[in-house]
Amino acid sequence: MRFTIFFHVIAAFILSPMIPGIINKVKAFFAGRKGKPVLQMYYDLAKLVQKGAVYSRTTTWIFQISPLVTAAVGIIGVMLVPLGNTPGLLAFSGDYILLVYLFGVSRFFTVLAALDTGSPFEGMGASREVQFALLAEPALLLGLCALSALSGETSMNTMVISLQAGTRPVLACAIFIVLLAENARIPFDDPTTHLELTMVHEVMILDHSGPDLALIEYGSALKLWAYGSLTASLIVPQGILSPWASLGAGFVALLFVTVTVGVIESIMARLRLIRIPQLLVGATILSLISLILIIR
Amino acid sequence: MNSIFNFLVILLILLNFRLISSSRLMPCIHVLVIQALILSGVAWMTHQGHMSLHLYFMLVVNVFLKAAVLPWMLTRVVQKNIISRELDPLVGYSPSLIIGVVLLGISVMISRPLSLSHTLIEDLFLPVSLFTLFSGLFMIIARKKAITQVLGYMVMENGIYTFGVAMAIHEPLIVELSVLLDVFVAVLIMGVAIFHISREFNHIDTDRLSVLRDL
């Protein structure tokens, strides 16, 4: 049993850069292109690690510490989140609050580093990021609270497992929307463009280079993995008792979530900036509905 | 069986939120069609053991009117008036969503003391019927265009129908039919009226209708 838990964490460390690759492949398939190789992010990371970092003279230590925080938060986040019926490596009561605020800390440091460069362009990205985060956070917290109220548990592992079927899809939708918002995916943010109008997350890491950029990219891949496996845990049906089978089901569900992200990126355009808050309010409403349905 | 029932009821809630939050009229009409189909399905499922002839009749009339005739008429009104969306609602769409959640909470709260022990129905059913009623009422209050108010009226009727399904095992045929006839006639008259109003005044904004007067 313990071994499957370790296996999940190690798989997350090794495989998480593949998730953006799979998303890119799905998008390429929809566009009728061949697309980048699935392992492209590994090559990028290897290339970045070999380079040296360049720091602007206006930046302070905050600018240098923020990539470390992003990567560290990603690593802890992956350890906290369960996949399928396999519990996370670190589990204690109330760990879902820690998860939400860990990602909050990482975002805080990214925003601080963006402001630290003194570039107005990065400041604009930081402002947008904070605005969306403000709306995405209640959706995630309320969703996890609904999970907690339903199961009477306060640890993510136990509450995902003891969840009844009816409200699962609603909660999964809410957390999936939060996933798209928090990981700078298409209805909220276009990760592939470098246009002033469309950038939110990308703009904040423009001034990072070399190993710092590699840490940020790796951290965001781990973050995507953490949110993805949280969503996947809500899709995996209960009652798969064998640890390896449940882990396998978790991986299949994670793959499904990844492909869904790719499909959504292919068939949707990026929303206008003023429409984004409405979608995030919608996610919050979904969480609230499931909370009301649970505690009625 | 039970999980399908729960799924349908939750879908009903989500459709109500879609109605409240959408500014486009055609999707709203489609939502009404889906809602009518779901309601008929739910009514059929709750009365499955003891379906009588008049219940079948009711269901057929219900589906025919609410999922075919009324949407067709509303679609015609929308197309003839060349309107596709409600542009300046009295309450914006995000606040509408939040008010919708408050309404859902209220309907859950007030339906808690009412017990439905004599029916087969889940305890989720009563709050949902109340919520449908409230959201229809809210649409009538919070939107300016006459056609959106008609939609709200139809949602309200759906709520009343759900309530009837929840509360009464043997609902009288005459009562239900007369309610349906009411709605039919109301939508018919409102459709014609909206068409004429918009042809005379070039708009169907009810706010501006209140300042009409003879010369």
Side-chain angles (χ1 to χ4, degrees):
Chain A
M1 189 65 190
R2 295 299 290 177
F3 187 68
T4 52
I5 301 171
F6 275 110
F7 187 79
H8 167 222
V9 173
I10 291 166
F13 288 159
I14 297 173
L15 296 180
S16 62
M18 222 154 89
I19 301 261
I22 296 174
I23 294 175
N24 276 332
K25 268 288 177 205
V26 173
K27 284 169 79 173
F29 172 76
F30 264 78
R33 291 180 283 116
K34 206 169 149 206
K36 299 180 207 168
V38 177
L39 301 180
Q40 180 65 44
M41 197 167 168
Y42 294 97
Y43 306 143
D44 287 351
L45 289 179
K47 183 188 73 185
L48 286 171
V49 166
Q50 284 163 12
K51 292 187 173 180
V54 179
Y55 297 111
S56 152
R57 261 179 289 124
T58 58
T59 57
T60 57
W61 57 275
I62 290 176
F63 184 75
Q64 297 174 25
I65 210 174
S66 108
L68 288 175
V69 174
T70 310
V73 163
I75 289 169
I76 304 173
V78 164
M79 288 181 184
L80 278 170
V81 167
L83 178 63
N85 300 343
T86 313
L89 185 62
L90 307 172
F92 47 91
S93 48
D95 53 2
Y96 66 96
I97 296 178
L98 177 66
L99 182 82
V100 173
Y101 285 104
L102 265 182
F103 286 128
V105 165
S106 121
R107 190 181 312 113
F108 175 71
F109 269 94
T110 316
V111 167
L112 272 193
L115 293 176
D116 197 27
T117 60
S119 139
F121 190 28
E122 302 215 3
M124 180 205 70
S127 141
R128 287 178 182 172
E129 172 93 358
V130 171
Q131 184 199 353
F132 300 157
L134 175 78
L135 293 160
E137 212 161 71
L140 184 61
L141 255 184
L142 278 171
L144 291 172
C145 282
L147 272 176
S148 166
L150 182 62
S151 54
E153 306 278 351
T154 50
S155 174
M156 269 185 296
N157 307 316
T158 35
M159 64 199 197
V160 167
I161 295 168
S162 55
L163 186 58
Q164 75 182 31
T167 42
R168 263 174 185 248
V170 183
L171 267 180
C173 281
I175 291 181
F176 186 69
I177 296 175
V178 174
L179 178 151
L180 293 175
E182 294 264 314
N183 292 291
R185 289 283 141 198
I186 247 181
F188 299 96
D189 183 6
D190 195 344
T192 55
T193 60
H194 275 256
L195 277 173
E196 190 172 334
L197 281 172
T198 60
M199 292 166 74
V200 180
H201 182 75
E202 287 299 305
V203 67
M204 294 199 300
I205 58 174
L206 269 183
D207 280 9
H208 289 281
S209 56
D212 282 353
L213 189 57
L215 278 178
I216 288 179
E217 295 284 348
Y218 187 58
S220 60
L222 284 175
K223 186 181 179 185
L224 185 54
W225 178 286
Y227 274 102
S229 47
L230 194 60
T231 318
S233 307
L234 292 172
I235 306 174
V236 172
Q238 317 129 283
I240 303 176
L241 292 176
S242 143
W244 284 108
S246 79
L247 191 66
F251 278 125
V252 172
L254 185 58
L255 187 66
F256 175 72
V257 171
T258 313
V259 172
T260 313
V261 172
V263 171
I264 285 178
E265 296 211 353
S266 313
I267 61 176
M268 271 186 86
R270 198 183 142 279
L271 285 178
R272 281 185 306 167
L273 271 178
I274 49 168
R275 300 275 292 173
I276 289 175
Q278 200 184 354
L279 186 55
L280 283 173
V281 168
T284 315
I285 297 300
L286 284 178
S287 295
L288 262 176
I289 292 172
S290 39
L291 191 61
I292 286 176
L293 290 181
I294 287 161
I295 60 175
R296 80 192 124 94
Chain B
M1 187 68 187
N2 216 334
S3 66
I4 296 175
F5 192 86
N6 264 333
F7 171 73
L8 287 179
V9 171
I10 289 175
L11 198 62
L12 217 53
I13 297 179
L14 293 181
L15 285 176
N16 280 331
F17 275 104
R18 172 97 176 98
L19 268 175
I20 288 181
S21 70
S22 171
S23 69
R24 290 161 198 277
L25 290 175
M26 283 314 290
C28 282
I29 295 174
H30 295 156
V31 166
L32 274 175
V33 173
I34 302 170
Q35 228 179 24
L37 291 177
I38 290 178
L39 276 181
S40 308
V42 165
W44 179 70
M45 278 165 74
T46 47
H47 293 283
Q48 218 175 16
H50 38 88
M51 282 294 283
S52 55
L53 194 64
H54 89 256
L55 269 173
Y56 272 119
F57 181 65
M58 274 304 310
L59 279 184
V60 171
V61 171
N62 204 27
V63 169
F64 176 68
L65 261 188
K66 282 198 207 154
V69 176
L70 295 185
W72 174 71
M73 277 164 41
L74 287 172
T75 314
R76 262 191 54 194
V77 172
V78 167
Q79 281 167 353
K80 273 193 176 171
N81 291 324
I82 320 176
I83 38 172
S84 65
R85 57 202 307 185
E86 167 94 33
L87 276 177
D88 46 348
L90 287 176
V91 184
Y93 293 104
S94 299
S96 295
L97 275 175
I98 294 163
I99 290 173
V101 167
V102 173
L103 289 177
L104 179 62
I106 289 174
S107 42
V108 168
M109 266 170 61
I110 59 177
S111 61
R112 193 179 282 160
L114 308 169
S115 64
L116 284 173
S117 53
H118 60 286
T119 57
L120 308 162
I121 299 158
E122 290 291 297
D123 49 348
L124 202 57
F125 213 74
L126 196 57
V128 169
S129 69
L130 286 176
F131 173 58
T132 315
L133 220 137
F134 284 150
S135 59
L137 205 58
F138 176 73
M139 265 182 92
I140 295 178
I141 298 168
R143 302 285 180 261
K144 272 186 184 168
K145 290 240 162 66
I147 181 127
T148 331
Q149 294 175 351
V150 176
L151 291 180
Y153 182 68
M154 283 180 64
V155 178
M156 235 173 91
E157 208 284 324
N158 278 345
I160 295 169
Y161 180 74
T162 326
F163 196 77
V165 171
M167 294 304 281
I169 303 177
H170 304 291
E171 39 186 349
L173 178 65
I174 294 296
V175 174
E176 187 54 44
L177 271 186
S178 63
V179 170
L180 264 181
L181 190 68
D182 262 4
V183 174
F184 180 65
V185 171
V187 174
L188 187 70
I189 291 174
M190 285 189 214
V192 174
I194 290 169
F195 178 58
H196 281 286
I197 289 170
S198 82
R199 206 173 53 183
E200 293 295 324
F201 301 109
N202 297 321
H203 65 83
I204 50 169
D205 198 333
T206 49
D207 248 24
R208 286 155 71 189
L209 290 185
S210 57
V211 296
L212 292 180
R213 56 179 169 264
D214 291 332
L215 286 173

